[in-house]
Amino acid sequence: MRRSLVSTYLILVVTWATGCNQDTDSATRRGGSGDDVEAESNAVEPPVPDPQPFVIKVVPNDENPRHVVVTVIATEGFGRSKEKLKAAGSTLLSMHLIFEGDPSPFGTEISDLTPLLGRYTVEAESLSFWPTFRLSRGARYAIRFNARKLSSDPLARVMWKEYQTQLVIDAPAPKIETITPTAEVLPANHLKFYLRFTEPMQTGDIWQYFHLQNVTKKEPVPRPFRHTELWSEDRRTLTLWFHPGRQKIGVNLNVEVGPILLEGNEYQLVISGDWKSARSVSLSRDVTKTFRAGPPDHEQLFVAKWRITAPKPATRHALTIDLGESLDAALLQTEIVIENPTGQPVSGTISLEKQESVWTFRPDEPWQPGRYQLAVGSVLEDLSGNSIERPFEVDLQGEPLKPVGSTVRRTFPIGVESK
Amino acid sequence: MSTKQRVMAFSMVATLLGGLFLLTGDAPTQAAPKAAGAAKYLKNVQTGNPKFKTIGRLSFGPSGLLLVADPGTASVVAIDTGDTGPVNKLKKRIDNVEQLLAKSIGATSVKITDLAVNQLSGKIYLAVNRNDAILTIDGDGKVGTLDMAKLRFVRVTLPADGNARVSNITDVSFADDRILAAGQSGKQFSSKIYSLPLPLEHGASANIFSAETYHVAHRRWETRAPIQSFIPFTEDGKDYVVGSFACTPIAKFPIGNLKSGAKVKGTSIVELGSGNRPLDMFTYEKDGKRWIVTNTMRFHKNLFGPSKYWGVRIESSYLTAKKVNEEAARRDIKTKSGPEGIEIVEALSGAVQVDKLSNTEMVVLRDDNGKLNLEIAPLP
């Protein structure tokens, strides 16, 4: 009678509070192995006392079900002060990851188990364990409560309960929105890719998810990437670098291991579908970018060579600059500024066209007649790292570099005659 | 139902409700560290959760001052841990330490991304591939965690270089009068050194220098090769950063009186051999000599052992050598030692991470066929 009443209250409370969480929550393992030799060697199951003096409950957080609290409720009281109960918390109640490949923790001596980190709280008739970290998705946990520590009753046992978190979450898989450069032919001394994701990805051990295949030779390219994770501020764009030491002529890695790309060969950059987002949802399918290696590019950039098509005044038509070659997509977003005839920056929208070889700018306000200027950061570079400031590879024996300053300016007229 | 039974049922419901309202998921596990000696290095100290976006490189200063790189917010966080000893160093090697950490936090896998040892306590601090935890291992091998909710800390943001925001902080270190950091941007890969004056003030900014280095192996000046790891160094009252680079030149950069934004030219002093990626760096003293220790990962087959991870020690007199750049000393890559004062350290074979515990011992995270063991090893 009393037992059924208690159960009813518990089910009501848990269901109401968690919004019917869907995690698998198996029943208490009654008669699970005890933690003393006598109990384990006794083949006869001791009778389960009625009512059960202790009940173990796992309550997931409403907003994040992987944060849980494990509570033991003593239906007849613990018979200990709150302070004593809290101090003994870890010897009474613990939670353990059921690790793949390990023997089952159920019935294992506590000294052989690694407990989850967490803290303990004590309320009137309950002892709670709060794991510090959220649980893993789709993982199984063993919860152990040693009632024997509280009672000299020979029927007091070590109680075990299994808890499993939900594997699938109701969310779309992450995607790679763009891979730049978008060109299908890249210089043989190409340096970097930008991968834009729909959401932040798991970090820390990402290189296993990248692969470069030489399609022409039907073989993988060994160790092509620089193992340095470079993420944007919003954690959604990764800069993926080919190893610069292998892309420079005469550098030891280039000489000893060889260059990454061979002119004329076709390659496939593969990003594994196993890579998971920060929310632990995988890309689900491999993403590839196929390209051919063209001639290497060692030329410094010159703004004077760009072809500017100026719009008419009093319109908001786009200004177009033909850059003559594909340049670094990220730097093109920040390193070219249009200044109005009074030298103030013009606000507007940048777009990149024709495989990042054309830069267009649509102003927020109509163009005024006058002499505008391009102000270009000299760090702007092409796909091979040649910038306005310097070519990627500087020959110390050659002509000294001409200093260009941090910004290069070029005037262009709108609605007035050029000088 | 008796009155007693009703009271009991009510109390259980109340308990559960109380627990549910408290359920925040940020349950701390360790008492907050109290203010300690490190307070003198900090100004405008914050108390609470630093809310790391990423936890990158870790490094210890004096008095339990823990430096944490947060490349996600392009900043350095200094934490007054209150962990000031006494020393209780790791008693027994921990095999497969990443599995132990995984089990302790309830995750199916964990990867250690950096390690730092507090020399005052011997406690080992670990950054792992999650952004809400700095784990600790004490002398008994027990895993713990910094209670993020109650930290005493300051945060200093590293300035962008023009439009180029810092994307990666490759190392951070305490010098006598400042904190130093090295980094690079995602777009340009250019190498930067940051100087953060002490006391470190929450909300302050740092000075930034562009680093250019002569790379001995390919006889070129480099602006892009990032400093992988470094140590502060003082010579004749002048301050330097001594950094190691991929393809392992070790170079020193004068940083004493530079203005923010200045370009600083490094002098290559030792070349350890091509095809290596340096990982960690520290100095120690023995028999009146000062040594620099660095462990690296080799791209090709290692000539001196099965592991691609290996380490070397260099006598500090090389830092003041007259022969530099093209004439800089080059390690004899075919032998275990040479020229004099440059020696392979056997105890660093397989060392993926390393930090100094004392002048006689170091903590090594060692690769053992793909599994990592944590142990204390003697310094030569």
Side-chain angles (χ1 to χ4, degrees), chain A residues 102-375:
Chain A
D102 274 8
S104 167
F106 297 106
T108 305
E109 293 289 336
I110 187 70
S111 56
D112 293 335
L113 293 172
T114 305
L116 264 64
L117 294 168
R119 70 185 169 104
Y120 292 86
T121 55
V122 178
E123 296 294 333
E125 302 302 343
S126 70
L127 169 67
S128 293
F129 172 68
W130 306 69
T132 304
F133 301 101
R134 65 172 187 268
L135 306 182
S136 270
R137 185 164 284 127
R140 291 164 61 220
Y141 297 84
I143 295 158
R144 178 185 186 275
F145 177 68
N146 188 354
R148 200 179 287 133
K149 292 268 180 192
L150 294 169
S151 169
S152 55
D153 186 337
L155 294 181
R157 299 171 301 131
V158 174
M159 296 168 67
W160 292 90
K161 180 180 177 70
E162 185 179 328
Y163 183 76
Q164 184 164 9
T165 53
Q166 202 178 342
L167 178 63
V168 183
I169 64 162
D170 187 18
K175 286 192 172 61
I176 297 182
E177 286 179 338
T178 54
I179 299 176
T180 46
T182 55
E184 287 151 8
V185 179
L186 302 179
N189 57 344
H190 176 67
L191 271 186
K192 59 184 184 273
F193 297 93
Y194 295 103
L195 278 56
R196 179 73 178 163
F197 295 85
T198 49
E199 61 184 285
M201 301 296 287
Q202 284 185 357
T203 61
D205 190 18
I206 66 171
W207 307 107
Q208 58 182 306
Y209 303 117
F210 292 99
H211 173 81
L212 185 69
Q213 181 75 11
N214 183 325
V215 178
T216 308
K217 291 191 167 183
K218 298 189 177 109
E219 61 186 24
V221 180
R223 273 199 69 104
F225 305 111
R226 187 66 176 269
H227 286 200
T228 301
E229 287 192 39
L230 296 163
W231 288 97
S232 62
E233 197 166 5
D234 66 2
R235 316 300 293 160
R236 285 176 51 202
T237 302
L238 174 74
T239 314
L240 177 67
W241 278 75
F242 279 149
H243 204 294
R246 288 182 60 186
Q247 291 297 73
K248 289 181 192 175
I249 298 167
V251 173
N252 37 40
L253 276 180
N254 174 282
V255 175
E256 292 171 19
V257 190
I260 296 164
L261 304 177
L262 299 171
E263 186 179 342
N265 283 13
E266 189 170 290
Y267 294 86
Q268 196 168 48
L269 170 67
V270 184
I271 300 113
S272 167
D274 293 337
W275 193 3
K276 289 178 179 171
S277 69
R279 296 179 304 136
S280 295
V281 186
S282 70
L283 285 168
S284 76
R285 62 178 187 84
D286 290 357
V287 179
T288 58
K289 175 180 171 60
T290 304
F291 60 93
R292 188 165 54 79
D297 182 355
H298 300 292
E299 297 292 317
Q300 198 172 349
L301 303 188
F302 291 98
V303 175
K305 289 185 179 175
W306 293 355
R307 286 205 304 274
I308 301 174
T309 307
K312 288 181 179 166
T315 70
R316 286 183 57 240
H317 292 168
L319 168 83
T320 304
I321 305 175
D322 184 346
L323 306 161
E325 63 176 318
S326 299
L327 299 186
D328 183 289
L331 293 171
L332 282 173
Q333 295 289 349
T334 57
E335 295 302 329
I336 304 180
V337 174
I338 307 291
E339 292 175 352
N340 68 16
T342 59
Q344 299 304 308
V346 180
S347 64
T349 309
I350 295 167
S351 343
L352 305 179
E353 295 170 5
K354 297 191 178 167
Q355 301 173 334
E356 301 85 58
S357 69
V358 172
W359 187 90
T360 71
F361 180 83
R362 190 177 294 279
D364 293 339
E365 303 293 332
W367 300 102
Q368 302 301 314
R371 294 188 186 287
Y372 283 76
Q373 277 197 321
L374 291 182

Side-chain angles (χ1 to χ4, degrees), chain A residues 75 102 126 132 141 248 381, chain B residues 8 15 29 103 106 222 224:
Chain A
T75 53
D102 274 8
S126 70
T132 304
Y141 297 84
K248 289 181 192 175
E381 63 187 33
Chain B
M8 188 183 293
T15 302
T29 57
K103 288 178 177 178
E222 289 280 2
R224 292 166 181 273

Side-chain angles (χ1 to χ4, degrees), chain B residues 1 32 45 50 62 97 124 146 155 177 213 231 322 369 379:
Chain B
M1 180 161 53
V45 176
V97 66
I124 299 160
L146 272 190
R155 181 187 287 275
D177 61 342
T213 328
I231 47 167
K322 297 288 176 242
N369 289 317
L379 279 163

Side-chain angles (χ1 to χ4, degrees), chain B residues 356-375:
Chain B
K356 176 186 175 181
L357 175 63
S358 66
N359 277 325
T360 56
E361 289 178 312
M362 59 188 164
V363 170
V364 177
L365 183 68
R366 199 184 304 279
D367 176 41
D368 177 19
N369 289 317
K371 289 180 179 166
L372 297 177
N373 302 336
L374 186 68
E375 62 186 282

